[in-house]
Amino acid sequence: MDFLDHSLDDSHRAIRDSARRFARQSIAPHVEEWEEAELFPCELYQAAAAAGVLAVGFPEEVGGGGGGMLHMMMIIEGLLEGGSSGVVAGLGSLGIALPAIVQAGDRAQIDQFVRPTLLGERIAALAVTEAGTGSDVAGIRTRARRDGGDYLIDGDKMFITSGARADFVTVLARTGEEHGKHHNLSFFVVERGMPGFSVSRSLRKTGWRASDTAALSFEGVRVPAANRIGEEGGAFLTLMRNFATERLMLAAFGHATARIALADARSWAEERHAFGKKLSAMPVIRHKLASMATRVTAATTLNYAVAGCIDAGESCVSEVAMAKNLSAETAVSVCYDAVQILGGMGYMRETRVERLSRDARLLPIGGGTTEIMNEIIIKMGT
Ligand SMILES: Cc1cc2nc3c(=O)[nH]c(=O)nc-3n(C[C@H](O)[C@H](O)[C@H](O)COP(=O)(O)OP(=O)(O)OC[C@H]3O[C@@H](n4cnc5c(N)ncnc54)[C@H](O)[C@@H]3O)c2cc1C
């Protein structure tokens, strides 16, 4: 058995196999086309749900497939074998949009928003970041003011995955007067078609190209109080709890991306000859491959350990931040080395490592930057 697989049981391996099968059949053959179009078809959500790979990690009581963090990591590993982080990020936007509703929402909200999304019938996005603030979450300016039985929402959101195609968006807004205060933050579900809610523009990116990323605008959007999730002013704790899942999943993007880049570099080094011998026979290349493999193993081992610890009921705040940083750094550096081993071909759009190297660059930024993760690690006293 693979060394890394010792942390897994049959249920983890079975889920990863399902995700792999789905990725090979339904993603890989179309990746070039979707990356070029900077979009994948919406039908893929339902196909992913039918294959049992969309709802993993959500409780069965709300229509989910059950399982924990390590099962969710297996989904990411399997789906990334389709060759596009953008597709996996787009399919996965429900993974950041729904948890607030699952944890703090009422039965009606779960029936209206969570269940159909887990079936692939609706598309969900999470809108926290704004053009003026990302890392400093409490500094958001989008505001929700009470108006009778409704709220009026005004503001803008930036970099929202699945933002242009979402049927609804879980929006973080300020509900108190004081700016920069954690207890003034609330979540609302804003639905497509609500007057005043619009997509300002679709954003073009370095990587994750097949995913839809959008800037959103809210101008006096009237949202019924029934669309507020949980208590007014109670969003911050939910948000922080869910950041852990998002960050650990991005860590999984990191180790899985690096693992694929390593495999491609290794195959290339076996095939390619220079100065009368295989690249894989040259000490410099061999040592580079050994170092890449070591980094991949270290990042994956930490990710599995942290996921297992959370599944056992621990919060692991500091370790999640460490896992995200190590995996992001591993993905960027291993992809860099993979491009170097492929030489000129590594810089061509027709090779997978070219795309992986662009996709990897998002990982030290998205879901909380490396610098913010380091602040968490230090603050937690580790
Ligand atoms: C492709 C993509 C998809 C995304 N999807 C979503 C989504 O679906 N929903 C959503 O809400 N957001 C999304 N984001 C936003 C993402 O989470 C933010 O970009 C990220 O949190 C960083 O925020 P920022 O871009 O505003 O950078 P800033 O917060 O402006 O940071 C800029 C730089 O300053 C540094 N910095 C900031 N504060 C400190 C500090 N205290 N100490 C040291 N350094 C600091 C940062 O580390 C960074 O290097 C997405 C972003 C991208 C690029």
Side-chain angles (χ1 to χ4, degrees), residues 4-21:
L4 294 166
D5 275 12
H6 280 288
S7 313
L8 311 176
D9 64 25
D10 287 347
S11 71
H12 298 119
R13 283 188 281 271
I15 279 181
R16 184 171 58 191
D17 286 346
S18 303
R20 261 185 196 145
R21 258 195 316 278

Side-chain angles (χ1 to χ4, degrees), residues 176-213:
E177 287 308 314
E178 284 175 290
H179 184 250
K181 298 290 180 197
H182 296 163
H183 61 263
N184 280 338
L185 301 177
S186 307
F187 274 124
F188 296 88
V189 177
V190 175
E191 297 171 71
R192 185 148 47 133
M194 284 181 163
F197 171 40
S198 61
V199 176
S200 322
R201 63 195 171 105
S202 285
L203 303 163
R204 303 199 68 198
K205 307 182 291 300
T206 302
W208 279 33
R209 286 202 182 151
S211 66
D212 145 26
T213 309

